[in-house]
């Protein structure tokens, strides 16, 4: 059963990360679109479906399978620092997820006040967090 839970965890993480890196890219193009235009309305639908239909369920699945791995199989040693770093980064990524949700709501209500360049910059946040998580889990530096 352990291998199945681990596989489902990895699949969930991949889906979550793909969405977390794509959503800000949609925000870039949306920010360049005129409010009320057909293009803007199309981006609203795309963003909402991505966030609610893929990113959020993938985050929930990541948490469920991750906690199952951590506590259900007795394989995690919480005395090692890498595990705490991973946990902190997963919490940070979850916070970014929530923040993206608030940015999405602003777009949905035609209240975006940020330029496209802002969204280009924040597009990298999930990837940087993912790099820290991967190094922590694979290298276990402490």
């Amino acid at each position: 059963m352990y291998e199945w839970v681990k596989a489902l965890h990895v699949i969930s993480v991949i889906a979550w990360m793909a969405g977390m890196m794509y959503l800000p890219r949609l925000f870039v193009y949306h920010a360049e679109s005129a409010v009320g235009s057909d293009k803007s309305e199309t981006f609203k639908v795309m963003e909402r479906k991505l966030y609610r239909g893929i990113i959020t369920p993938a985050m929930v699945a990541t948490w469920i399978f991750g906690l199952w791995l951590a506590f259900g199989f007795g394989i995690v040693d919480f005395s090692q620092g890498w595990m705490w770093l991973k946990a902190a980064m997963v919490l940070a990524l979850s916070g970014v997820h929530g923040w993206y949700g608030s940015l999405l709501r602003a777009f949905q209500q035609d209240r975006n006040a940020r330029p496209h360049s802002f969204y280009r910059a924040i597009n990298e946040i999930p990837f940087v967090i993912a790099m820290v998580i991967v190094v922590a889990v694979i290298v276990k530096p402490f």
Side-chain angles (χ1 to χ4, degrees):
M1 186 70 164
Y2 167 77
E3 288 80 12
W4 280 104
V5 175
K6 188 162 120 177
L8 291 169
H9 178 65
V10 171
I11 291 165
S12 301
V13 169
I14 291 168
W16 187 23
M17 290 305 304
M20 290 291 286
M21 288 187 270
Y22 184 50
L23 186 60
R25 180 57 48 191
L26 290 176
F27 291 161
V28 167
Y29 302 129
H30 197 164
E32 295 174 331
S33 303
V35 171
S37 67
D38 287 344
K39 193 174 177 182
S40 176
E41 296 305 309
T42 299
F43 282 122
K44 286 180 184 180
V45 172
M46 293 170 66
E47 292 158 357
R48 187 186 75 249
K49 286 183 175 183
L50 178 64
Y51 190 79
R52 292 185 184 162
I54 297 172
I55 301 174
T56 298
M59 179 191 69
V60 170
T62 297
W63 271 97
I64 289 169
F65 295 124
L67 291 171
W68 192 353
L69 285 169
F71 298 106
F73 297 99
I75 60 164
V76 176
D77 181 359
F78 286 99
S79 69
Q80 295 182 348
W82 71 267
M83 187 61 212
W84 292 105
L85 176 59
K86 178 187 177 182
M89 290 296 100
V90 172
L91 286 171
L93 187 59
S94 297
V96 172
H97 178 106
W99 180 44
Y100 282 6
S102 68
L103 297 173
L104 171 72
R105 283 187 291 283
F107 274 112
Q108 296 292 309
Q109 298 166 358
D110 294 324
R111 293 185 298 106
N112 174 53
R114 293 183 169 95
H116 66 89
S117 56
F118 171 79
Y119 298 106
R120 287 185 197 280
I122 69 166
N123 189 65
E124 306 308 321
I125 295 171
F127 186 68
V128 170
I129 292 172
M131 287 190 308
V132 173
I133 291 170
V134 168
V135 169
V137 172
I138 302 298
V139 178
K140 295 178 176 60
F142 48 89

